Amino acid sequence: MKFSLMPGQLTFEDIAKIFHQETSLELHPSCHEKIYAAEETVARVVTDNKTVYGINTGFGSLAHTRINSHDLEILQRSIVLSHAAGTGDLLSDETVKLILLLKINSLARGYSGIRLKVIDALIQLFNHKIYPCIPSQGSVGASGDLAPLAHLSIALLGVGNVRHQGKIISAEEGLAKANLKPFDLAPKEGLALLNGTQASTALALQGLLAAEKVFHAALICGALSVDAALGSVTPFDERIQAIRGHQHQIYVASVLRKLLEKSEIVQSHLDCNKVQDPYSLRCQPQVMGACLSQIEYAKKTLLIEANAVSDNPLVFAETNEILSGGNFHAEPVAMAADTLAISIAEIGALSERRLALLTDSHFSGLPAFLVNNAGINSGFMIAQVTAAALASENKSLAHPASIDSLPTSANQEDHVSMATFAARRLLPMTENTAGIVAIELLAACQGIDFRRPLKTSVSLEKVFALIREKVSFYDKDRYFAPDIAAAKNIVSSGILSALL
């Protein structure tokens, strides 16, 4: 896919397509004028011998140290080298691809004072799939994602390593594959490259994309569990939702009604004596609606940040000013990631409770642990334990990161966001929740089998068939892990989203 990037105008659909598809980027020519103007503004500062932070001063707590004009290139190279101080496992190629996209998008808006040739070099790395090796740990999310972005930028100097087609090679070799040579950075360019929130934002966006798929799967699975447990559809009545007024609650209830429409199982127990279902069935619109509200909030915040200029100082060429501010502080990303983490944990927590209900014959009316001849067979007993373990792990991971702060840089950076960790834990959390929903999906299908010859709705029969293509009915104990893996692949793939 070829994509003409109009800086600052990425949509969420653009980001998702570029993330999932092989894409060739090019800058829309209309952005060139602002890039050139900002570059000239920086050049005038050097020519006029003015003192401006980041151009001819030190950084952080060394901001008051004036740098001689003949040392300005060394200054920019030095900041990249010294700030490439990350540790831990390397970020995935998919994450680095997204970081590159966001960095290009931000720099090309023309407020960073960086030369067009440097932005073009980042585009060449993107297009040739040359992904700098970026350690996952070492950023506190202010002053920007310094260490991760320094590791991204150091490749332009021909230093460090990059990954190409799954193989780690030297940065110099990687540059050659992209028809590039190592750069000498001009004034302000090193700071512009490594200052910003692109690493934390990319990680959060990646978590958001995964969370949406898991949310959709959990919503469908929740409907299937209602039928498997002979649950009531009355709690999903639109009148109940309307008088509370939360739009996402109203939406979730409408989806559940649609998914269960014309289910033979629902019709079979309309006149039963059961008065109310447990909350994990009955309160799905309220809980899942609240989760969706937070997902949508995070989506809106992260899209703004994906298009933001978040380095410092910022160049306003139209007034010939360079202003120092704090757009690098990633508090919006950290808080969005925190609310997303809570939602991911709650989606899994509700799913685990429905699974526990299905395996409990007292509540579900199904065979104990969803297997015949229980005692000889343990059925879903330990699968539910696995789901409980994953749900518990997510509770710990959901603790807000944004409420923590440790001063850095000799107290110059005295409040930080912890956005990078806030965002980085989202993918492991969605993996956990995908595992929980996968186990519930298997249990719900097992319950539907026990309700035969009655059928669920047309939509849910499609889900049932999709699972049964990969996982057969659990007639007796067998090796369970491959079944969970197969169901988890379905949950994580996003294939269930098409049914909504």
Side-chain angles (χ1 to χ4, degrees), residues 237-351:
D237 189 293
E238 61 186 327
R239 293 167 293 180
I240 295 173
Q241 328 309 321
I243 62 172
R244 195 177 197 188
H246 290 294
Q247 290 305 306
H248 291 112
Q249 174 184 330
I250 292 169
Y251 167 76
V252 168
S254 71
V255 171
L256 291 169
R257 289 196 305 274
K258 182 180 177 182
L259 287 169
L260 289 160
E261 192 175 25
K262 297 182 180 179
S263 164
E264 292 179 10
I265 297 174
V266 168
Q267 296 300 315
S268 73
H269 62 94
L270 288 177
D271 298 321
C272 69
N273 295 324
K274 190 160 60 170
V275 178
Q276 289 184 332
D277 294 321
Y279 291 175
S280 60
L281 297 180
R282 193 188 348 153
C283 297
Q284 290 185 74
Q286 290 77 14
V287 178
M288 294 293 280
C291 291
L292 182 56
S293 292
Q294 300 312 309
I295 290 171
E296 290 299 316
Y297 154 72
K299 191 174 184 177
K300 181 179 179 180
T301 300
L302 294 175
L303 182 59
I304 291 171
E305 196 67 22
N307 285 299
V309 181
S310 55
D311 60 292
N312 187 63
L314 298 174
V315 182
F316 295 88
E318 61 273 17
T319 57
N320 196 33
E321 292 180 283
I322 300 178
L323 306 179
S324 187
N327 279 1
F328 51 71
H329 201 296
E331 194 80 354
V333 179
M335 287 188 169
D338 279 346
T339 58
L340 195 53
I342 291 169
S343 296
I344 293 165
E346 280 295 272
I347 293 165
L350 196 66
S351 175

Side-chain angles (χ1 to χ4, degrees), residues 67-343:
I67 308 299
N68 292 325
S69 58
H70 61 269
D71 288 329
L72 296 185
E73 283 190 8
I74 297 173
L75 174 69
Q76 298 302 316
R77 179 179 177 86
S78 295
I79 190 176
V80 176
L81 292 172
S82 67
H83 284 48
T87 188
D89 295 336
L90 297 180
L91 295 177
S92 69
D93 287 353
E94 293 79 11
T95 304
V96 177
K97 174 185 177 183
L98 200 48
I99 296 172
L100 276 169
L101 170 67
L102 300 186
K103 195 65 189 176
I104 292 163
N105 188 43
S106 178
L107 294 174
R109 286 191 60 183
Y111 294 96
S112 301
I114 195 167
R115 290 171 295 170
L116 179 60
K117 65 185 288 188
V118 181
I119 301 173
D120 282 337
L122 293 174
I123 293 172
Q124 289 307 306
L125 293 182
F126 182 99
N127 289 344
H128 286 83
K129 303 182 183 67
I130 308 296
Y131 301 120
C133 291
I134 304 177
S136 58
Q137 295 172 289
S139 174
V140 295
S143 166
D145 296 316
L146 293 173
L149 293 177
H151 282 279
L152 181 85
S153 307
I154 204 171
L156 293 176
L157 309 181
V159 178
N161 295 318
V162 298
R163 197 154 42 196
H164 179 61
Q165 297 179 344
K167 182 182 177 183
I168 293 177
I169 58 177
S170 71
E172 211 162 354
E173 186 179 348
L175 289 175
K177 287 182 181 294
N179 302 311
L180 297 169
K181 293 181 179 180
F183 273 78
D184 292 321
L185 298 176
K188 196 184 176 302
E189 287 184 337
L191 185 59
L193 284 165
L194 59 85
N195 204 205
T197 64
Q198 288 76 35
S200 54
T201 305
L203 285 163
L205 283 167
Q206 198 173 356
L208 175 61
L209 289 167
E212 285 192 321
K213 294 175 184 176
V214 173
F215 175 85
H216 294 152
L219 196 52
I220 290 168
C221 193
L224 201 60
S225 289
V226 168
D227 251 3
L230 299 184
S232 173
V233 295
T234 299
F236 312 142
D237 189 293
E238 61 186 327
R239 293 167 293 180
I240 295 173
Q241 328 309 321
I243 62 172
R244 195 177 197 188
H246 290 294
Q247 290 305 306
H248 291 112
Q249 174 184 330
I250 292 169
Y251 167 76
V252 168
S254 71
V255 171
L256 291 169
R257 289 196 305 274
K258 182 180 177 182
L259 287 169
L260 289 160
E261 192 175 25
K262 297 182 180 179
S263 164
E264 292 179 10
I265 297 174
V266 168
Q267 296 300 315
S268 73
H269 62 94
L270 288 177
D271 298 321
C272 69
N273 295 324
K274 190 160 60 170
V275 178
Q276 289 184 332
D277 294 321
Y279 291 175
S280 60
L281 297 180
R282 193 188 348 153
C283 297
Q284 290 185 74
Q286 290 77 14
V287 178
M288 294 293 280
C291 291
L292 182 56
S293 292
Q294 300 312 309
I295 290 171
E296 290 299 316
Y297 154 72
K299 191 174 184 177
K300 181 179 179 180
T301 300
L302 294 175
L303 182 59
I304 291 171
E305 196 67 22
N307 285 299
V309 181
S310 55
D311 60 292
N312 187 63
L314 298 174
V315 182
F316 295 88
E318 61 273 17
T319 57
N320 196 33
E321 292 180 283
I322 300 178
L323 306 179
S324 187
N327 279 1
F328 51 71
H329 201 296
E331 194 80 354
V333 179
M335 287 188 169
D338 279 346
T339 58
L340 195 53
I342 291 169
S343 296

Side-chain angles (χ1 to χ4, degrees), residues 294-474:
Q294 300 312 309
I295 290 171
E296 290 299 316
Y297 154 72
K299 191 174 184 177
K300 181 179 179 180
T301 300
L302 294 175
L303 182 59
I304 291 171
E305 196 67 22
N307 285 299
V309 181
S310 55
D311 60 292
N312 187 63
L314 298 174
V315 182
F316 295 88
E318 61 273 17
T319 57
N320 196 33
E321 292 180 283
I322 300 178
L323 306 179
S324 187
N327 279 1
F328 51 71
H329 201 296
E331 194 80 354
V333 179
M335 287 188 169
D338 279 346
T339 58
L340 195 53
I342 291 169
S343 296
I344 293 165
E346 280 295 272
I347 293 165
L350 196 66
S351 175
E352 186 279 327
R353 287 294 81 204
R354 292 191 301 262
L355 167 62
L357 183 152
L358 290 174
T359 60
D360 186 337
S361 58
H362 172 72
F363 281 106
S364 69
L366 295 165
F369 299 108
L370 299 171
V371 70
N372 288 317
N373 203 13
I376 292 178
N377 294 312
S378 296
F380 280 69
M381 181 188 293
I382 302 305
Q384 188 269 325
V385 172
T386 297
L390 295 174
S392 180
E393 188 174 307
N394 271 357
K395 290 178 186 178
S396 296
L397 288 171
H399 180 82
S402 60
I403 60 174
D404 184 30
S405 179
L406 285 173
T408 60
S409 192
N411 282 308
Q412 175 74 6
E413 297 157 7
D414 58 348
H415 181 277
V416 298
S417 71
M418 300 299 177
T420 317
F421 169 69
R424 180 162 48 84
R425 52 134 180 215
L426 296 177
L427 268 186
M429 289 186 71
T430 57
E431 282 289 304
N432 288 343
T433 296
I436 298 166
V437 174
I439 297 169
E440 185 200 354
L441 198 53
L442 294 174
C445 288
Q446 188 79 358
I448 296 299
D449 265 322
F450 280 120
R451 301 300 181 193
R452 296 301 193 208
L454 295 173
K455 290 186 177 181
T456 185
S457 69
V458 173
S459 295
L460 294 179
E461 283 291 340
K462 291 178 182 177
V463 177
F464 176 86
L466 188 64
I467 292 296
R468 284 291 174 255
E469 284 178 12
K470 303 293 183 181
V471 180
S472 62
F473 175 71
Y474 203 87

